[in-house]
């Protein structure tokens, strides 16, 4: 018994050190994102306020998620899911149909709501409550269909299916690596479309889905990135220099792709920092003390949001960036109550090599 207690204490210390390391890495990454936006703004006279607000929203959401997730591991994500669903429903219909940015923000909010509901389901103990929360997650996909957001329907359904499939996953590192590869593939496809690097037939098919206007915005972003790959044109200056934006009936000054906006406004370093920030979130989920289903469910939802941000303007909305930080906080918090369901402890071996009491 003494050996078991000593082993458990040592494991707890190692886990705590890994979590602290993930938190330190996160602070460094977010500080680097904010600092680089200030540097590029000083070089070209841009406006870094948008990036600074996004960093602040992620950090604030993450902190609130960690605190509330520790105190209320089921109720907190439930409340967040309901709030996200309400915000998505409250978005005016004309804006959804006429502005690309609001379409992506709505899809991202619904996806985050679905992910939060699935995380709450895995944290709940009573089977009836788990079922009710999963039905509410499915209801988010139905709501997306009623709002006419095909992207949200696909993403919410994917998150729900991934959450249900996590019961068969024993090593979360494999699942999180897959999410990182999926996000990289989506960003790479966006870049390839902007560069006209895909076959003509495939490009024409994708343009029909994405709209020609959006692809032209991406072409402008890549031209700016090639003009100054080191620093970009400066944060917030894409709208001033884009010919497509100047000819638009409803301009918002954004290229509607987070990686391409970073490339245009903050150079390749900005793209790298954006990728590192996403990898930090996955690393934090890898080191999370929560159960593997919760970590992978949050990873699936955040990867879906990253995919939406690759072809839309979702990250320009503070509700989305704060919601992403909030979900990551829920999935990395250590509940103050007793251990969660499905978190089966592994008995420590005796000095003689046998396992048991």
């Amino acid at each position: 018994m003494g050996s078991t207690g000593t082993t458990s204490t040592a494991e707890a210390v190692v886990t705590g050190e890994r979590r602290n390391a993930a938190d330190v890495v996160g602070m460094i990454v977010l500080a680097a994102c904010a600092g680089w936006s200030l540097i590029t703004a000083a070089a070209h006279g841009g406006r870094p306020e948008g990036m600074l607000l996004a960093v602040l929203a992620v950090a604030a959401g993450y902190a609130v998620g960690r605190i509330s997730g520790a105190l209320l591991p089921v109720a907190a994500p439930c409340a967040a899911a309901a709030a996200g669903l309400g915000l998505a429903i409250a978005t005016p219909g004309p804006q959804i149909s006429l502005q690309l940015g609001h379409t992506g923000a709505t899809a991202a909010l619904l996806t985050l709501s679905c992910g939060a509901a699935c995380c709450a389901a895995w944290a709940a103990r009573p089977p009836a409550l788990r079922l009710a929360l999963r039905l509410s997650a499915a209801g988010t996909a139905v709501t997306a269909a009623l709002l006419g957001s095909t992207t949200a329907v696909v993403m919410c359904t994917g998150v729900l299916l991934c959450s249900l499939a996590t019961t068969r996953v024993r090593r979360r590192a494999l699942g999180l690596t897959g999410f990182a590869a999926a996000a990289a593939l989506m960003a790479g496809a966006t870049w390839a479309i902007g560069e006209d690097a895909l076959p003509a037939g495939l490009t024409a098919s994708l343009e029909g889905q994405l709209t020609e206007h959006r692809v032209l915005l991406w072409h402008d972003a890549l031209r700016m990135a090639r003009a100054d790959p080191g620093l970009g044109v400066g944060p917030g200056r894409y709208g001033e220099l884009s010919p497509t934006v100047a000819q638009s009936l409803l301009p918002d000054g954004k290229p509607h792709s987070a990686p391409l906006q970073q490339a245009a406004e903050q150079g390749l370093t900005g793209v790298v920092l954006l990728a590192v920030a996403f990898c930090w979130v996955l690393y934090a989920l890898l080191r999370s003390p929560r159960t593997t289903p919760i970590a992978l469910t949050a990873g699936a939802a955040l990867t879906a949001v990253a995919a939406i941000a690759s072809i839309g303007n979702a990250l320009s909305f503070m509700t989305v960036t704060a919601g992403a930080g909030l979900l990551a906080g829920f999935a990395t918090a250590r509940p103050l109550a007793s251990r969660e369901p499905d978190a089966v402890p592994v008995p420590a071996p005796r000095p003689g090599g046998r396992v048991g009491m």
Side-chain angles (χ1 to χ4, degrees), residues 11-357:
E11 290 176 350
V13 170
V14 172
T15 301
E17 290 177 350
R18 289 175 175 176
R19 291 184 67 217
N20 291 337
D23 292 340
V24 171
V25 170
M27 292 174 60
I28 294 173
V29 170
L30 293 179
C33 291
W36 184 249
S37 69
L38 293 173
I39 292 172
T40 54
H44 294 289
R47 298 179 298 277
E49 293 82 4
M51 175 59 73
L52 296 177
L53 285 174
V55 171
L56 179 61
V58 171
Y62 186 71
V64 171
R66 285 284 289 267
I67 296 170
S68 59
L71 297 174
L72 302 168
V74 178
C78 280
L85 184 62
L87 287 171
I89 294 174
T91 303
Q95 287 183 327
I96 294 179
S97 60
L98 295 178
Q99 295 189 18
L100 298 175
H102 286 276
T103 305
T106 300
L109 285 173
L110 290 171
T111 302
L112 291 171
S113 296
C114 182
C118 291
C119 287
W122 280 116
R125 292 178 180 275
L129 179 57
R130 280 192 172 189
L131 178 60
L133 290 170
R134 284 177 180 144
L135 289 176
S136 70
T140 304
V142 175
T143 302
L146 295 175
L147 292 175
S149 178
T150 304
T151 301
V153 173
V154 173
M155 294 303 180
C156 289
T157 303
V159 170
L160 182 58
L161 293 177
C162 285
S163 180
L164 295 174
T166 56
T167 54
R168 299 181 177 274
V169 179
R170 294 292 176 264
R171 298 184 62 182
R172 69 178 68 178
L174 183 62
L176 294 172
T177 301
F179 293 148
L185 180 63
M186 192 67 185
T190 302
W191 200 290
I193 294 171
E195 289 280 11
D196 286 330
L198 298 177
L202 180 58
T203 300
S205 176
L206 292 174
E207 283 186 3
Q209 299 294 323
L210 297 168
T211 72
E212 183 181 0
H213 173 71
R214 193 189 307 242
V215 175
L216 290 175
L217 291 172
W218 294 354
H219 289 169
D220 291 347
L222 289 174
R223 277 196 293 269
M224 295 178 198
R226 286 192 293 269
D228 192 344
L231 296 173
V233 299
R237 297 195 63 212
Y238 172 85
E240 302 172 8
L241 303 175
S242 169
T244 305
V245 170
Q247 299 170 6
S248 300
L249 296 177
L250 295 171
D252 60 2
K254 306 292 183 182
H256 296 276
S257 172
L260 298 186
Q261 181 172 353
Q262 287 293 95
E265 296 185 345
Q266 299 186 39
L268 296 180
T269 302
V271 178
V272 171
L273 287 174
L274 183 64
V276 170
F278 180 71
C279 291
W280 159 66
V281 173
L282 296 183
Y283 176 71
L285 293 174
L286 177 65
R287 300 305 186 189
S288 171
R290 306 298 294 270
T291 60
T292 294
I294 291 177
L296 292 181
T297 297
L302 293 170
T303 301
V305 171
I308 294 170
S310 293
I311 59 172
N313 197 27
L315 296 187
S316 295
F317 294 81
M318 286 190 63
T319 51
V320 175
T321 51
L326 193 64
L327 181 59
F330 290 148
T332 55
R334 178 184 291 277
L336 299 181
S338 57
R339 69 177 180 88
E340 294 176 321
D342 296 333
V344 181
V346 179
R350 286 184 171 183
R354 292 182 300 168
V355 176
M357 300 299 292

